[in-house]
Amino acid sequence: MRRLILLVALMTLSACSAGPWTRLTSSLEADRLVREGNAQLRAGNPSAAVRTLDDVVRRFPDAPIHDQALYDLARALVLTTNGGREYRQAAAHLDRLLRDYPTSQHAADARALRIALGAYVARTAELDRLIDRLKAIDLEFERPRQP
């Protein structure tokens, strides 16, 4: 009988502590993955870092390191060679960091990077419009003229 009471008490205590234990292991896993993502960035593999850090951002939104994961993901996206699309995604992650974590230690750097990305994306869009205009002018000159 004593063993049964002890078993029930232990099961009750372990059920009560499942929440904090899960949060702790999730936090540790998020920390490990952010370190791994940063190591991938340092090793010159931003595409792998994007996959790892995106996983952290999606799976661990309540982790204490979530703000760093957002910032590092934005940096990794900027370092990929795919250009404009990733810059817009990076800007979105920086906006989220600044909205959700305004007092983060990464907030000042995130603001600066966001400004630079915004200027680059705007300038790229302007250049794309100019290229399209030049193509149209070029086609106009190639058309045969009517006498």
Side-chain angles (χ1 to χ4, degrees):
M1 184 68 169
R2 270 184 168 181
R3 288 184 184 183
L4 180 61
I5 292 172
L6 182 60
L7 180 63
V8 170
L10 286 174
M11 289 175 60
T12 304
L13 286 175
S14 68
C16 292
S17 65
W21 178 254
T22 302
R23 280 192 298 271
L24 175 63
T25 57
S26 293
S27 179
L28 292 173
E29 176 69 3
D31 288 347
R32 184 189 68 74
L33 288 171
V34 168
R35 283 192 310 275
E36 181 180 319
N38 282 318
Q40 291 164 333
L41 274 176
R42 283 190 304 278
N45 193 352
S47 296
V50 166
R51 287 189 298 276
T52 301
L53 294 164
D54 186 58
D55 187 39
V56 175
V57 167
R58 283 184 297 99
R59 287 180 44 211
F60 305 105
D62 297 326
I65 202 164
H66 194 253
D67 63 328
Q68 182 179 343
L70 285 167
Y71 179 70
D72 292 343
L73 176 56
R75 283 183 34 235
L77 284 164
V78 167
L79 294 174
T80 62
T81 58
N82 297 333
R85 180 172 170 261
E86 277 73 11
Y87 287 175
R88 286 186 286 281
Q89 287 179 339
H93 289 299
L94 293 170
D95 288 343
R96 181 175 173 193
L97 184 150
L98 293 169
R99 182 188 66 240
D100 294 352
Y101 307 97
T103 59
S104 167
Q105 68 181 15
H106 305 287
D109 290 339
R111 274 188 212 87
L113 184 54
R114 179 63 180 93
I115 290 168
L117 286 174
Y120 178 83
V121 169
R123 190 69 168 150
T124 301
E126 181 182 341
L127 290 173
D128 287 343
R129 284 190 301 275
L130 290 172
I131 288 171
D132 289 342
R133 187 171 164 205
L134 286 173
K135 286 179 182 177
I137 291 170
D138 189 42
L139 287 175
E140 190 176 311
F141 279 116
E142 288 181 3
R143 278 193 222 136
R145 301 254 181 217
Q146 298 293 333

